[in-house]
Amino acid sequence: MGIHQIDPALRWPYGFETEDDEEGQEAGADEDWGIDQEKRGRKRKRPRSAKRPRAATPSSASSSGPLASWNAVPKRPRSSAAKQGDTPRAGAVVVPSETEAAAAEEEEGTASSGGAGRKKAGWSCHQCHTAKRQMVECERCREEIYCTFCVKKRYPKLSVAEVRAECPCCRGICSCKRCSAKVKQSEPKSPALRICNSSRSAKKKKKADPSGVESTSVCNGVAPTEANDYSSLISSNGINNPSVKSDKIDTLDVRAQEESKIKHARYLLHYLMPCLTELNKDQMAERETEARNLGLKLSQMNVEQADCRNDERVFCDNCRTSIFDLHRSCPNCSYELCIACCKELREEDLQGGTCREELVSYPNRGFDYMHGGDPLPELINCEETDLSSCQPKSKKWVASRGIIRCPPTELGGCGEHVLKLRQIFPKDWLNKLEINASWLNKKLEPSNIVSGECPKCTKNENSRYAATRENSTDNYIYCPKSDNGEADDLKHFQSHWVKGEPVIVQGVLQKMPDLSWEPPHMWSEVHGSSTSSDMKNVKAIDCLSCCEVEICTQDFFNGYYEGRMYENQWPEMLKLKDWPTSNHFEELLPSHGVKYIDSLPFQPYTNLKSGSLSVSALLPDDILKIDMGPKSYIAYGCTQELGRGDSVTKLHCDISDAVNVLMHTAKVAPSEEQQDAIKNLKARHEAQDEKDCCGNFAINGNDKCHKSCVGANHASSLNYIDDEEGGALWDIFRREDAEKLKIYLHKHSKEFRHIYCSPVEKIFNPVHDETFYLTEEHKRKLKEEHGIEPWTFVQKLGEAVFIPAGCPHQVRNLKSCTKIAIDFVSPENVKECLKLTQEFRKLPKNHRAKEDKLEVKKMIIYAVDHAVKILKEHCSRTRLIDIVYSRSCGRRRK
């Protein structure tokens, strides 16, 4: 892009080789060691780099394994009297007494004194562990020191004077890995537990006196004798005691949360019960078929238990669908087949994969071809590779009288044994679960099921105009604000969500003011000051060729702010996808991950750990879970629609629900010279499109093919330039329009380009292939031919976009963007997830969307079980209250 001056503060500030690297690495190692020791229950008071006197450790250190330091129940701290005669255990750090520490400080000359710009020997910044910068010491704790660079970069809302008065650590907003790990370990997972703990905070535990004598408890600064009188005062007039008030408030909060939990459990059953009934129906049909083949009654048949652990996944070897319970397995080669494939085999209509692979070739015709020129000489007469290969036609796999044998070796099996029926859950467990769930669902039918139109979301501040469909009530998108200090309107959200409509929430970023979402900062948080070759380079996707390229990390982030271009001045669009590559975003970016999850709106759906309406969050702890996020998407962007090489996420359909938040943007404007070059190159692209679409025949101006090609990728973009806060252009289609969209893409597939800017050659499922991006002109023609259009809107900085499962969508970045997204499964869209799972299983084996990574059937079962347990407990408690009440009424009558 056009090279122009930018604020130096936005440039890549983290060099790979600095004078502080060695010291930073040593301190970073100390920090990691300290965090590890905290997890094990043994925390070192000072990092190794600090010069402190070390106490002697016993020579006879007993070795202990990793489990030796872990306890299910935390042990109480022993009093100092009990510790006097003890010998320190192996690996423990003996902390010197106060007099020894003071003497050591006096000898080393490290007596603390406040003030910025003062370097202390052996002391380093609490945040970055650098000791060669100006330092600010906290006058409150007299322990923590921050460098001025970290104060300005990490805590922009705090001045140096404010940090000197009270450091981020004392304020509880420190974002370093050590402090984030402490918060994560100490914080209860359940909100109810967190409230209960806060209600007990007024009660002080007994503390051991330094002399070894246990001191008597002091209640709010009152002596023990006075405390008894004070407690009697509380019992007589407790309303004047603030602690009693807080306890009452906490009790009300706990009751409200219990009621909310019960309400959500009833809501779950309402939507999940039909799915569980359908799953059990399919399994019962397979059991009846097996009983007929064996000549037994259904009650006499005994299905063998499968050897499957909770921490492993089982997939069908034919269609790659996850297996949650009943399936068939070969006793010889362990080939496993799902019951859906079994049914199709008996009907001689095997669709799930059919054991084939499809190969599509997109040859590299050269750089000049991608910009409207001729292909390389050796590829002018090149024929495309056979698009369908690895299709075994010589062997046919069929069922004989309902009995299914293991497929031949050409199809992945051994061809020798009959596939035996196996089950993963205990016998009749699913049937009993369905009976209990059905009874509870009828008895406790929820009253909060929403349906119908929403009159509130028409031309008001909580809606956004996104479509121009005629005779339609869904042209507006629900767009509430998240920063107004009020609770989320969950019922209003559900009224739109249940109809498969997207939702936009404004102001989410305002809930995270203390964190920096600058891409270089996030990269530095993950990789620190590492100078390894792996960290100096990064792998990105080139949007023009759709291929992976390797680029210097510093060059990539400089291009994020300043832009990059090819030799012919065409904008070079690069993007990082699913970074960090690890499945543990919260471990690599702990402060960012935790704060992001807690700041998302509609927490019952979006909290990946404790969301009571998130079906994916209700899996037991011992079950292997898939990675639902958070995931980051960092990409360049351009306001003008280029037609080729745009920074886009092509049309696709997610198997689960998702929420995507725009965290950071950077505008890059092309120069006038570059704009002229872009205009000239677009004319070359247009001529090439006509040639490739219509062949080498003479082109008539009235030719239908000519009209469809001209302007297909070069229509004038809508005016998004004036929107300073806008970052990404979204197009989300309705589920009911997906079939018409597929028809249009099949018809016009040759007008689209994919890898190396080659025309699309093969279509399996145009919505799942992720090979199409509809330009403004294509969207116009789609409405003319089929009368459908998407919701089209610009995502602004700090906005969260909720995308329902099953809605085809595409995104184009108008600026350089950093987005963070998570996936979740809502009860309203579980049926759509099942439908998509069936579509995915019919794709070729090597298709990008083939494998069933979600395992939604397993999620449904465990979510129903979770809801049944909650409602059973509620019914038992209610019945007990009724019994006690009736008995008390009987005594009163007597």
Side-chain angles (χ1 to χ4, degrees), residues 687-759:
Q688 187 183 52
D689 289 339
E690 295 174 8
K691 182 179 178 181
D692 288 352
C693 180
C694 305
N696 295 321
F697 301 102
I699 298 176
N700 185 353
N702 297 323
D703 185 67
K704 184 178 179 181
C705 179
H706 173 77
K707 287 183 176 181
S708 65
C709 288
V710 174
N713 294 321
H714 313 300
S716 58
S717 301
L718 298 179
N719 188 15
Y720 305 117
I721 302 176
D722 296 336
D723 193 348
E724 290 297 327
E725 296 182 352
L729 177 66
W730 285 74
D731 295 303
I732 303 179
F733 289 88
R734 299 183 298 185
R735 292 170 182 159
E736 57 266 31
D737 296 336
E739 291 304 319
K740 292 182 179 179
L741 177 62
K742 292 178 183 178
I743 295 172
Y744 176 85
L745 293 175
H746 274 288
K747 178 181 177 182
H748 297 274
S749 62
K750 295 297 181 181
E751 301 170 23
F752 294 86
R753 296 182 179 271
H754 193 36
I755 300 175
Y756 298 122
C757 290
S758 298

Side-chain angles (χ1 to χ4, degrees), residues 268-279 441 831 834:
L268 281 170
L269 280 189
H270 175 81
Y271 286 104
L272 299 184
M273 263 308 300
C275 302
L276 178 64
T277 302
E278 192 66 27
L279 294 178
N441 188 40
K831 284 187 177 180
L834 288 172

Side-chain angles (χ1 to χ4, degrees), residues 231-513:
S231 61
S232 63
L233 176 63
I234 292 174
S235 61
S236 61
N237 191 13
I239 193 171
N240 295 323
N241 183 20
S243 64
V244 173
K245 289 181 181 180
S246 64
D247 286 345
K248 288 182 178 179
I249 293 173
D250 290 341
T251 304
L252 292 175
D253 288 342
V254 172
R255 287 178 181 174
Q257 289 210 359
E258 284 296 320
E259 292 176 1
S260 177
K261 192 194 328 183
I262 294 167
K263 181 174 68 174
H264 291 169
R266 294 161 63 182
Y267 192 85
L268 281 170
L269 280 189
H270 175 81
Y271 286 104
L272 299 184
M273 263 308 300
C275 302
L276 178 64
T277 302
E278 192 66 27
L279 294 178
N280 264 343
K281 180 181 177 182
D282 294 340
Q283 294 212 138
M284 185 57 65
E286 188 66 23
R287 289 177 185 273
E288 291 172 352
T289 301
E290 179 73 1
R292 283 197 303 270
N293 293 337
L294 297 176
L296 300 174
K297 293 182 179 179
L298 192 60
S299 58
Q300 297 174 333
M301 191 182 66
N302 187 26
V303 179
E304 188 176 340
Q305 202 75 19
D307 184 15
C308 177
R309 304 189 308 270
N310 287 341
D311 60 347
E312 67 178 355
R313 298 190 182 114
V314 183
F315 290 91
C316 174
D317 287 312
N318 180 56
C319 68
R320 302 305 300 161
T321 303
S322 63
I323 294 173
F324 67 97
D325 186 27
L326 207 63
H327 64 284
R328 293 190 176 272
S329 178
C330 177
N332 181 42
C333 66
S334 300
Y335 186 95
E336 291 171 318
L337 194 68
C338 68
I339 58 176
C341 287
C342 293
K343 181 181 178 182
E344 291 174 354
L345 270 173
R346 296 189 186 99
E347 296 172 353
E348 297 185 0
D349 184 27
L350 186 60
Q351 299 180 14
T354 62
C355 302
R356 78 182 190 277
E357 291 184 0
E358 298 286 349
L359 303 178
V360 181
S361 174
Y362 287 99
N364 185 359
R365 295 178 170 90
F367 179 80
D368 191 48
Y369 175 82
M370 290 191 289
H371 291 283
D374 295 326
L376 294 175
E378 59 269 20
L379 292 174
I380 292 178
N381 297 320
C382 176
E383 295 183 359
E384 295 290 341
T385 307
D386 186 12
L387 297 178
S388 59
S389 60
C390 306
Q391 174 70 36
K393 299 180 180 179
S394 58
K395 296 289 183 178
K396 191 175 180 181
W397 186 21
V398 294
S400 176
R401 297 181 181 178
I403 299 175
I404 301 174
R405 304 186 68 86
C406 189
T409 54
E410 292 84 354
L411 303 182
C414 64
E416 297 180 0
H417 295 76
V418 174
L419 297 182
K420 302 294 184 181
L421 197 62
R422 298 284 186 268
Q423 64 184 12
I424 296 177
F425 288 110
K427 183 180 179 181
D428 295 333
W429 185 80
L430 279 181
N431 290 330
K432 294 176 182 177
L433 177 64
E434 183 186 359
I435 293 171
N436 291 332
S438 178
W439 181 82
L440 289 168
N441 188 40
K442 292 177 182 178
K443 183 178 178 64
L444 303 172
E445 179 65 25
S447 59
N448 59 331
I449 300 300
V450 291
S451 61
E453 299 179 3
C454 178
K456 299 180 183 179
C457 297
T458 305
K459 298 182 181 179
N460 64 18
E461 60 179 4
N462 287 337
S463 63
R464 186 172 298 179
Y465 192 58
T468 58
R469 307 181 190 97
E470 296 180 359
N471 302 322
S472 177
T473 59
D474 58 1
N475 289 331
Y476 287 85
I477 294 179
Y478 178 45
C479 187
K481 293 181 180 179
S482 180
D483 59 339
N484 54 5
E486 299 177 2
D488 294 328
D489 192 348
L490 192 65
K491 192 170 184 179
H492 195 168
F493 166 78
Q494 289 172 336
S495 67
H496 293 274
W497 194 247
V498 73
K499 294 185 290 185
E501 298 177 7
V503 173
I504 307 170
V505 181
Q506 308 172 59
V508 176
L509 193 57
Q510 296 179 15
K511 293 185 175 182
M512 301 171 268

Side-chain angles (χ1 to χ4, degrees), residues 54-66:
R54 294 185 180 180
T57 55
S59 58
S60 59
S62 59
S63 62
S64 60

